[in-house]
Amino acid sequence: MAEPLDRYDAELTTPDTVILELVAEDKIDAAAQLAHKLHEAGRITNLEGFLEQVHSREHQLATGLPGGIGLPHARSEFVDRISIAVGVTKFGHALDFGATDGPATLILLIATPASSFSDHLEVLATLARSLSKESFRESLRRAHDPEVISELINSSLVFFDH
């Protein structure tokens, strides 16, 4: 059974699930590198199965957001707890996630338990709101420390009842 989302202690990203200076051939390679970090951290039980679900989701609809964001994601039976891996691309590298304004330099891979539909949507919506702010995106891009990046993501995901 999926672990319930604790709205006030959202440690969905940890320093060991952050990749600085990410270099990837394409969005599939980027998702694979980030999923590998989640797998190493014990947050994904079946790496290949999870990646198939991420790729399937990518084929349905582009996951690029304005402002240079790639937001690949999947709900999966191979995930017990909502987790986010973050990649900040190396300077001069960017990846096409299908956003209308161009390629992504910040990639956030969201892994959610298959049974957590509402939490999945809430995490996506909350992240999209935070990432729509240029100051937040720039803080992530300029942080050269996985601790800082994970703290920025987690603090943006302290949910409040609406």
Side-chain angles (χ1 to χ4, degrees), residues 19 26 47 95 97 119 132:
I19 301 175
D26 54 24
L47 182 59
L95 301 163
F97 276 84
D119 285 343
S132 70

Side-chain angles (χ1 to χ4, degrees), residues 90-104:
K90 185 174 181 167
F91 184 77
H93 287 65
L95 301 163
D96 183 10
F97 276 84
T100 55
D101 68 338

Side-chain angles (χ1 to χ4, degrees), residues 18-93:
V18 173
I19 301 175
L20 298 175
E21 307 249 329
L22 174 71
V23 175
E25 291 182 28
D26 54 24
K27 66 182 181 179
I28 292 170
D29 183 30
Q33 289 183 49
L34 292 169
H36 183 74
K37 286 288 192 181
L38 291 175
H39 187 255
E40 283 181 337
R43 292 178 173 240
I44 294 173
T45 58
N46 179 325
L47 182 59
E48 293 77 22
F50 176 73
L51 280 171
E52 281 180 29
Q53 293 163 335
V54 170
H55 300 324
S56 173
R57 174 64 191 81
E58 281 289 318
H59 288 300
Q60 292 172 11
L61 190 63
T63 58
L65 296 178
I69 306 298
L71 206 61
H73 57 276
R75 289 186 309 119
S76 172
E77 67 273 16
F78 305 121
V79 177
D80 294 326
R81 169 183 183 195
I82 298 175
S83 300
I84 302 169
V86 180
V88 180
T89 63
K90 185 174 181 167
F91 184 77
H93 287 65

Side-chain angles (χ1 to χ4, degrees), residues 13-20 143-152:
T13 303
T14 58
D16 60 341
T17 62
V18 173
I19 301 175
L20 298 175
H144 297 290
D145 182 346
E147 284 277 337
V148 173
I149 291 172
S150 63
E151 182 57 38
L152 284 166

Side-chain angles (χ1 to χ4, degrees), residues 4-12 122 151 154-155 157-162:
L5 183 62
D6 182 338
R7 297 175 176 278
Y8 304 103
D9 184 28
E11 194 169 289
L12 308 185
E122 189 166 4
E151 182 57 38
N154 291 331
S155 64
L157 289 167
V158 175
F159 300 97
F160 301 99
D161 293 320
H162 306 294

